[in-house]
Amino acid sequence: MPRKGRELEKLVEALEKYLSNKNVSIESPAFVEDRITGRKREVDVLLTSGQGHHKQLTVFECKDWKVKVGSPEVEALVAKIKDLKI
């Protein structure tokens, strides 16, 4: 059984592939090294652009929830982004 939200992730990935130029790499799911733990952490959709050490990373976290997202979920995403240097 596919995990909840995977269809939304695929949709976001497809839209980004359609809308982005060919110089953007799009992965879903993707794994990015956590600067605190050194372990790889999963993100739903990752866009990478640029060259060498001038890379720009953009992450999408796709949530298929029927309720509004509150402050704890937003704060957790902010912390994850900081830990992943995105």
Side-chain angles (χ1 to χ4, degrees), residues 43-60:
V43 295
D44 295 338
V45 182
L46 176 68
L47 281 61
T48 306
S49 59
Q51 297 178 8
H53 65 279
H54 292 290
K55 288 186 180 173
Q56 179 180 357
L57 303 177
T58 304
V59 69
F60 290 87

Side-chain angles (χ1 to χ4, degrees), residues 30-43 46 57 59 61 75-86:
F31 296 87
V32 180
E33 186 175 325
D34 186 304
R35 68 181 176 90
I36 305 295
T37 66
R39 292 183 170 164
K40 298 278 184 172
R41 292 183 65 183
E42 183 178 345
V43 295
L46 176 68
L57 303 177
V59 69
E61 287 291 302
E75 290 169 357
L77 177 59
V78 169
K80 182 177 184 177
I81 288 170
K82 285 181 181 178
D83 289 350
L84 298 178
K85 292 175 128 178
I86 295 176

Side-chain angles (χ1 to χ4, degrees), residues 7-53:
E7 289 301 315
L8 180 58
E9 293 170 19
K10 288 180 183 179
L11 175 62
V12 171
E13 177 186 22
L15 287 170
E16 286 301 321
K17 283 183 177 177
Y18 178 77
L19 296 171
S20 297
N21 66 43
K22 61 184 175 189
N23 298 325
V24 176
S25 168
I26 301 169
E27 300 173 72
S28 177
F31 296 87
V32 180
E33 186 175 325
D34 186 304
R35 68 181 176 90
I36 305 295
T37 66
R39 292 183 170 164
K40 298 278 184 172
R41 292 183 65 183
E42 183 178 345
V43 295
D44 295 338
V45 182
L46 176 68
L47 281 61
T48 306
S49 59
Q51 297 178 8
H53 65 279

Side-chain angles (χ1 to χ4, degrees), residues 56-68:
Q56 179 180 357
L57 303 177
T58 304
V59 69
F60 290 87
E61 287 291 302
C62 304
K63 302 299 179 204
D64 190 9
W65 295 342
K66 295 188 185 325
V67 296
K68 289 184 178 181

